[in-house]
Amino acid sequence: MKIGLLAATTLAAGVALWTACPAAVMAQGSKQSLESISTPDKVESRIGTLKFKDGAPDAETSAKVYDNLDFTYAFRAFTDTFKGVSMQALLEGFEAAGIEDNEILLFSELMDSESLFLTANADTVYYVGFLNLSDGPMVVETPPDALGTFDDMWFRWVIDFGRPGPDRGEGGKYLIVGPGYDGYLPEDGFYVAHSKTNRVVILGRSFLTNDDPAPTVKVIKDNLKIYPYAPGGVGMSIARYLEGGVQLGRNAEPKMPVFHEGSGLAINTIPPNDFSYYEMLDRLVQSEPATVLDPELMGPIAAIGIKKGEAFELDDRMTKILKEAVAVANATGRTLGFAPRDPDWFFYENSNWWNPLFAGGYNFETPLPEITKDGAKPYPPTGYKQNDARTSFFYDATGITPAMAMRLTGVGSQYLFATKDANGDWFDGAKTYNVTLPKDIPAAAFWSFTLYDNQTRSMLKTPQKYPRPGSQNYPSPAAEAAEDGSTTIWFSPQQPDGVARGNWIQTDPEKGWVTLLRLYSPLASFFDKSWQPSEIEPVN
């Protein structure tokens, strides 16, 4: 290849300069390098003017930087830990209602708007409780036809039970093992799962039986058992005992837990968004092992004074910083939870239907596996957390499980979240809106909408009590389809003329709201997007 005359001349000149003045060229390079690693005497920044003397910060600059650093740690101690504090708030809500460890809160007539639970539903029979593993493993015998999960106190998934779990809806014996247990575990007869925390939450849901919760409640009460594991009993063979090193034990006696009625119960399980948030975080840290969380995540928590085994005491400066940080962090959680900016969260093009689980799955890292005729096809790990998705999800929701984030038809549930109308405006409780679901709604079990109060992210409280329409005929009439098979749902303060009761959900003129469309046992047309709901349209 020939070099052009001009290029050749330039190259020759450069070589000549390097040959004649290598020191000059090196000096120029050194000067540029020195500038890139040096700090000017004065720097303008978002925290104000920062001043240095030959690179050393003056006293005012140091104070600004440390205030900002502590603010950053306090901010992260909210956004990175909200899921754990949400669990602590749930626990403390149970304790305030007199529900002890290893007992169950059962919503025998479904959950209604009296209870403050993050985006719960009014369609399934909930049964919720906390296992305490401090004294050893616990056995939970689960009812058939359940849809449930166990999560630890940092809202990490432990194991599913019921239809998505290893018992596949037949019910089974689950042995939940806490941190530090080194005793004998059974060879067979249990589904064994390990928790990193001393407490584990049971989040159970069961479907209605022919639009009636009573038979379902009976199945739950007849089959749900909670009791301590007995090493050396069922699950260990005599042959294993004869090998030595273990003792024979008596079989544990299955026990029905104490059931507390949840329907109509006024209970608050929502984390605070003021300074008391950090006090609740401290109680969580003190109640669990010091090594339960990744040290990288625990770093900001410790940096603001929350350390295992130490008193959480702050001076006036740090108290002021934490109050400012929680205000900004809460605003961040609320923005991520209501106004997402990541296009990967939106399920359809040019649509306001979204879900933060779509991009990173229940671990907020790797996209959901593809389901092919040859089986599941996982994606390789991305190697990073989608922190915005994690903060958004836990700011709005209770519970996490792979069953909420998979493309498998006929199992689990799928969700579409809407926080804005077709015009991109917030929902106004004083206005009327509607949404149309095309025929063949892709839910083998049932579908529903639920309305939530913007402030509490819990069911919107109106005279309806159960803020939902759907395909079930309880606790309100089932929605009616039009002649073409489509179903239109209305949202308004008063029931519109000519609209059936089952197709209307009441709003509060003084409140903003958001909604979730739930599809239980979703079908292929949801995943391939051949079925799509309309946007929620303002009518007046």
Side-chain angles (χ1 to χ4, degrees):
M1 173 186 247
K2 294 184 179 180
I3 302 176
L5 180 60
L6 179 60
T9 303
T10 303
L11 178 61
V15 171
L17 177 63
W18 173 261
T19 303
C21 307
V25 175
M26 293 180 66
Q28 179 66 24
S30 297
K31 181 180 179 182
Q32 293 175 347
S33 296
L34 185 60
E35 288 178 352
S36 71
I37 64 172
S38 298
T39 299
D41 291 343
K42 186 177 181 181
V43 176
E44 298 298 334
S45 76
R46 67 189 304 161
I47 62 172
T49 301
L50 307 178
K51 297 179 181 179
F52 301 85
K53 182 177 181 180
D54 194 24
D58 66 13
E60 184 179 355
T61 293
S62 294
K64 289 179 181 178
V65 168
Y66 278 122
D67 282 354
N68 182 66
L69 183 61
D70 291 334
F71 178 92
T72 301
Y73 287 142
F75 177 88
R76 288 192 57 195
F78 184 100
T79 58
D80 290 353
T81 71
F82 193 90
K83 60 179 186 175
V85 178
S86 184
M87 282 293 294
Q88 185 68 20
L90 183 64
L91 174 66
E92 293 185 15
F94 272 47
E95 291 174 341
I99 305 161
E100 299 181 1
D101 290 340
N102 308 319
E103 298 180 348
I104 293 293
L105 181 62
L106 174 65
F107 293 83
S108 62
E109 295 182 2
L110 307 190
M111 189 184 296
D112 57 40
S113 56
E114 287 295 324
S115 295
L116 296 180
F117 277 80
L118 290 174
T119 54
N121 70 63
D123 304 290
T124 60
V125 177
Y126 277 113
Y127 38 107
V128 186
F130 285 88
L131 296 182
N132 193 324
L133 310 174
S134 300
D135 295 329
M138 297 290 292
V139 178
V140 180
E141 296 187 16
T142 62
D145 297 321
L147 184 64
T149 191
F150 295 93
D151 288 339
D152 76 7
M153 286 300 292
W154 282 97
F155 247 140
R156 292 172 296 202
W157 176 69
V158 177
I159 191 172
D160 284 331
F161 66 89
R163 299 182 186 201
D167 69 274
R168 302 296 291 276
E170 295 184 2
K173 288 184 178 181
Y174 287 79
L175 179 59
I176 311 300
V177 184
Y181 178 77
D182 59 359
Y184 177 79
L185 291 175
E187 304 163 34
D188 203 355
F190 299 85
Y191 303 114
V192 180
H194 294 263
S195 168
K196 295 180 180 179
T197 60
N198 289 317
R199 281 191 175 93
V200 171
V201 69
I202 309 167
L203 293 168
R205 294 171 291 167
S206 289
F207 297 165
L208 305 185
T209 305
N210 298 321
D211 289 337
D212 185 357
T216 301
V217 169
K218 185 176 187 307
V219 168
I220 295 168
K221 286 188 171 182
D222 287 348
N223 290 276
L224 184 61
K225 306 289 191 297
I226 299 175
Y227 51 94
Y229 166 63
V234 170
M236 186 182 79
S237 65
I238 297 298
R240 173 64 186 87
Y241 164 72
L242 294 176
E243 293 174 4
V246 294
Q247 296 295 320
L248 285 176
R250 298 183 62 182
N251 294 339
E253 181 182 350
K255 293 182 179 179
M256 177 186 295
V258 173
F259 287 99
H260 298 262
E261 180 54 58
S263 297
L265 177 66
I267 180 174
N268 178 25
T269 69
I270 312 298
N273 54 24
D274 57 13
F275 180 80
S276 64
Y277 177 92
Y278 297 108
E279 295 171 323
M280 187 172 285
L281 174 60
D282 178 63
R283 292 194 291 274
L284 172 60
V285 169
Q286 301 307 328
S287 65
E288 295 294 343
T291 57
V292 73
L293 200 61
D294 186 305
E296 195 71 27
L297 287 175
M298 195 61 83
I301 301 173
I304 63 171
I306 298 176
K307 301 176 183 178
K308 175 75 173 180
E310 298 184 17
F312 179 42
E313 297 175 346
L314 302 177
D315 58 21
D316 291 343
R317 170 185 162 274
M318 280 297 292
T319 299
K320 180 175 182 292
I321 287 173
L322 264 63
K323 287 180 178 179
E324 293 173 348
V326 75
V328 176
N330 178 66
T332 302
R334 186 162 287 275
T335 300
L336 289 169
F338 284 75
R341 65 178 178 179
D342 190 334
D344 290 338
W345 295 11
F346 291 86
F347 198 54
Y348 308 102
E349 277 191 58
N350 302 316
S351 173
N352 287 304
W353 294 107
W354 61 280
N355 185 326
L357 296 178
F358 291 145
Y362 77 98
N363 270 328
F364 306 98
E365 178 186 348
T366 303
L368 307 181
E370 292 287 348
I371 305 298
T372 71
K373 60 182 178 60
D374 299 319
K377 181 183 177 183
Y379 286 96
T382 60
Y384 58 85
K385 284 283 185 184
Q386 297 190 24
N387 290 340
D388 285 357
R390 179 183 64 191
T391 299
S392 173
F393 179 85
F394 285 109
Y395 192 84
D396 288 334
T398 299
I400 190 68
T401 162
M404 302 168 72
M406 59 184 178
R407 295 187 173 100
L408 190 61
T409 59
V411 180
S413 49
Q414 285 291 334
Y415 307 84
L416 290 174
F417 199 30
T419 54
K420 295 181 179 180
D421 68 17
N423 299 324
D425 297 323
W426 303 114
F427 296 118
D428 182 342
K431 296 182 178 180
T432 298
Y433 303 83
N434 66 24
V435 61
T436 298
L437 307 181
K439 67 176 182 178
D440 300 325
I441 299 170
F446 63 91
W447 62 268
S448 73
F449 280 99
T450 312
L451 248 60
Y452 300 100
D453 182 311
N454 277 359
Q455 289 285 7
T456 65
R457 292 94 74 202
S458 302
M459 289 188 213
L460 184 67
K461 195 169 184 179
T462 70
Q464 275 190 341
K465 189 176 179 181
Y466 296 97
R468 49 79 64 191
S471 58
Q472 297 187 135
N473 203 33
Y474 184 95
S476 55
E480 299 176 14
E483 289 185 6
D484 64 359
S486 66
T487 304
T488 299
I489 302 299
W490 295 74
F491 312 88
S492 60
Q494 302 296 327
Q495 186 172 346
D497 292 340
V499 173
R501 169 62 183 83
N503 294 64
W504 167 63
I505 185 165
Q506 188 171 22
T507 60
D508 181 342
E510 302 298 322
K511 302 292 297 181
W513 55 269
V514 296
T515 190
L516 269 172
L517 169 60
R518 287 178 166 87
L519 303 170
Y520 288 89
S521 302
L523 301 176
S525 59
F526 172 78
F527 296 109
D528 65 22
K529 303 182 186 180
S530 58
W531 181 90
Q532 179 178 345
S534 76
E535 299 301 292
I536 301 179
E537 300 277 356
V539 178
N540 62 19

